[in-house]
């Protein structure tokens, strides 16, 4: 943004601000800001950090699980805490969607942090913002970059299992599918490739990479053999393997080095380095941790700015699992 605005630009800016303040009257998309809670809940970042530090200390993998939860929240009608809502006899949420069921984990960690936040600042901080901060802290606690998180999201009063099924990419996705699914969210191929670097931490169940290790040819032979040892041809569907064999719980650029060595765990991972449009970028990230970190941060902020479509009724939930 320019430092000095010309008078005409200033006029236009003033008008735009007035329109956004006066306009709508309902659930118009709010402008997020890192200072959103600086007067209403100045301790929120510290409370979330402490909660994440204790969760990650208890189990390193939890950092990965929370980062993934944020991605799965944001890709379904924006980052609105919709993934956190429990099913009830009259409400079907997102937890039962294919990409989430028996897979997304860490809901108790968000509950515990929310309870702490409520003690200090009652009915002030949304679950969606807590998840955004928690994901940032997860990355940093495992050795990755940090950044200031724009805040001011509201929590949804609805969720969509069908949108969760439609919007979240599966492990068998082609490069073209990945680019188009991220494109549908306003994210570029570069954003997609940088965000996929999240797979430098965490684990995958055997059922999601079995086909790759038994049938694909663009895979390092000794890596495939290693993975087959704990992922049999049949059975053991839920057996876990780390995405990154060298540094499974460190947020580094090893994911890209693995891709270059044809040691991507999922079919969708290796699609980023298989003779296509993302090869050069993968090579660049594999040799430059700082370039990866910078692009990852940019893309996380962009993904975090996805907001519910206008007209969606929102609130600050008191309990992340249910609407007020
Ligand atoms: C590009 C398309 C993507 C696909 C197809 C994909 C698919 C998957 C799959 C199949 C798993 C294993 C789930 C399980 O075994 O239960 C997984 C785990 C994970 N994903 Fe992705 N993912 C993608 C992008 C992302 C993005 C953008 C992020 C975050 C920015 C992310 C973060 C993670 C993390 C951290 C884990 C490990 C979770 C844990 O250990 O609990 N993924 N992903
Ligand atoms: C596969 O990986 C192993 C172990 O890292 C390495 O020694 C070997 O050279 C790789 N094979 C190929 C064909 O690149």
């Amino acid at each position: 943004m320019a430092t000095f605005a010309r008078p005409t630009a200033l006029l236009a800016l003033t008008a735009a601000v007035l329109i956004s303040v006066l306009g709508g009257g309902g659930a118009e998309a709010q402008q997020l800001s890192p200072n959103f809670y600086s007067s209403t809940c100045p301790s929120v970042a510290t409370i979330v950090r402490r909660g994440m530090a204790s969760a990650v200390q208890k189990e390193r993998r939890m950092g990965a699980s929370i980062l993934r939860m944020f991605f799965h929240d944001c890709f379904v009608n924006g980052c609105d805490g919709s993934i956190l809502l429990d099913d009830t006899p009259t409400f079907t949420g997102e937890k039962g969607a294919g990409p989430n069921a028996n897979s997304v984990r860490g809901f108790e960690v968000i509950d515990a942090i929310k309870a702490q936040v409520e003690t200090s600042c009652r009915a002030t901080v949304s679950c969606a913002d807590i998840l955004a901060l928690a994901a940032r802290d997860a990355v940093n606690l495992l050795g990755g970059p940090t950044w200031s998180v724009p805040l001011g999201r509201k929590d949804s009063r609805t969720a969509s299992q069908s949108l969760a099924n439609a919007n979240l990419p599966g492990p068998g996705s082609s490069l073209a599918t990945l680019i188009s699914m991220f494109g549908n969210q306003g994210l570029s191929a570069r954003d997609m490739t940088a965000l996929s670097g999240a797979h430098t931490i965490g684990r995958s169940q055997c059922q999601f990479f079995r086909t790759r290790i038994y049938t694909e040819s663009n895979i390092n032979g000794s890596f495939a053999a290693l993975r087959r040892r704990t992922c049999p041809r049949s059975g053991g569907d839920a057996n876990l393997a780390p995405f990154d064999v060298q540094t499974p719980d460190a947020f580094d650029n090893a994911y890209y080095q693995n891709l270059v060595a044809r040691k991507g765990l999922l079919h969708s991972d290796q699609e980023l380095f298989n003779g296509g449009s993302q090869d050069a970028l993968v090579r660049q990230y594999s040799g430059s941790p700082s370039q990866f970190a910078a692009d990852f941060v940019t893309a996380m902020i962009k993904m975090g700015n996805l907001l519910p479509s206008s007209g969606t009724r929102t609130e600050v939930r008191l309990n992340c699992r249910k609407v007020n």
Side-chain angles (χ1 to χ4, degrees):
M1 201 201 258
T3 315
F4 298 102
R6 282 170 292 109
T8 48
L10 255 181
L11 255 178
L13 185 69
T14 310
V17 168
L18 273 174
I19 287 162
S20 74
V21 169
L22 304 172
E28 74 271 13
Q30 60 281 54
Q31 180 65 47
L32 304 183
S33 153
N35 304 318
F36 190 80
Y37 298 110
S38 55
S39 60
T40 56
C41 192
S43 57
V44 62
T46 310
I47 297 170
V48 174
R49 177 76 176 197
R50 212 188 304 126
M52 282 306 294
S54 103
V56 167
Q57 192 185 21
K58 216 184 291 170
E59 187 203 9
R60 307 283 285 167
R61 184 188 172 197
M62 191 52 74
S65 303
I66 296 296
L67 176 57
R68 181 170 190 238
M69 189 190 291
F70 182 56
F71 163 50
H72 284 207
D73 186 29
C74 294
F75 263 49
V76 184
N77 200 24
C79 317
D80 60 355
S82 56
I83 194 173
L84 304 171
L85 291 171
D86 280 344
D87 284 8
T88 75
T90 56
F91 175 83
T92 302
E94 292 164 19
K95 291 183 179 180
N100 295 336
N102 300 311
S103 182
V104 169
R105 59 198 290 281
F107 296 110
E108 338 64 50
V109 171
I110 300 301
D111 290 340
I113 295 173
K114 173 67 170 174
Q116 289 289 309
V117 171
E118 285 298 303
T119 308
S120 294
C121 323
R122 215 189 114 67
T124 304
V125 182
S126 65
C127 297
D129 277 344
I130 289 173
L131 183 52
L133 287 166
R136 181 271 308 265
D137 290 337
V139 168
N140 186 240
L141 285 161
L142 294 175
T146 191
W147 60 94
S148 89
V149 179
L151 299 167
R153 298 169 188 80
K154 292 287 183 278
D155 298 320
S156 65
R157 293 180 49 81
T158 57
S160 174
Q161 186 166 110
S162 57
L163 266 192
N165 283 319
N167 290 5
L168 292 166
S173 302
S174 67
L175 179 60
T177 297
L178 295 173
I179 291 174
S180 106
M181 291 184 93
F182 279 69
N184 290 343
Q185 303 285 342
L187 298 172
S188 67
R190 188 182 185 93
D191 294 327
M192 184 276 291
T193 295
L195 287 169
S196 297
H199 288 178
T200 189
I201 54 174
R203 308 289 184 274
S204 173
Q205 301 176 48
C206 161
Q207 58 180 317
F208 299 124
F209 59 83
R210 178 183 284 121
T211 309
R212 169 153 173 76
I213 61 173
Y214 285 102
T215 69
E216 297 186 350
S217 54
N218 62 348
I219 187 168
N220 172 290
S222 57
F223 174 68
L226 174 71
R227 285 289 154 260
R228 285 182 203 137
R229 277 196 237 151
T230 53
C231 183
R233 272 180 203 281
S234 83
D237 281 9
N239 293 0
L240 295 175
F243 275 100
D244 173 8
V245 62
Q246 325 285 353
T247 53
D249 296 308
F251 197 98
D252 53 20
N253 68 334
Y255 172 75
Y256 301 99
Q257 295 170 350
N258 291 334
L259 295 185
V260 170
R262 305 209 148 67
K263 294 177 184 174
L265 186 58
L266 306 180
H267 173 84
S268 54
D269 290 322
Q270 199 60 58
E271 279 289 289
L272 303 185
F273 188 85
N274 192 37
S277 65
Q278 300 306 293
D279 280 22
L281 189 56
V282 167
R283 251 188 220 290
Q284 200 189 336
Y285 291 158
S286 77
S288 174
S290 61
Q291 185 65 66
F292 164 53
D295 286 3
F296 182 79
V297 167
T298 298
M300 281 292 284
I301 292 172
K302 235 169 125 176
M303 182 171 82
N305 282 339
L306 296 171
L307 295 176
S309 46
S310 68
T312 306
R313 286 178 62 213
T314 55
E315 66 188 12
V316 171
R317 245 178 255 151
L318 298 175
N319 173 341
C320 295
R321 292 178 182 266
K322 48 185 205 196
V323 298
N324 293 340

